[in-house]
Amino acid sequence: MTDQSIDVQKEGKLTFHRGSALSIFASDRREDFMALLVAVLITVGVYVLV
């Protein structure tokens, strides 16, 4: 069984898991921007090729 306390975030009275502790990105914000960039590139590629 895995340890469920990895990357637990607390905001006020709420406690939640931030996400996977295994990430190649230094921050969540950088990960989000990279995902947005990849989505835009895919969208442009589909638009141009179809």
Side-chain angles (χ1 to χ4, degrees):
M1 199 168 205
T2 61
D3 183 11
Q4 296 295 317
S5 65
I6 295 175
D7 252 349
V8 173
Q9 302 289 319
K10 292 185 180 184
E11 265 187 39
K13 295 180 182 178
L14 299 175
T15 301
F16 60 94
H17 291 276
R18 179 179 71 77
S20 175
L22 302 174
S23 180
I24 61 171
F25 299 99
S27 70
D28 286 341
R29 187 169 301 249
R30 182 173 290 163
E31 185 175 357
D32 292 342
F33 280 126
M34 289 304 293
L36 181 62
L37 177 64
V38 169
V40 167
L41 290 174
I42 291 170
T43 303
V44 170
V46 168
Y47 181 76
V48 168
L49 294 174
V50 173

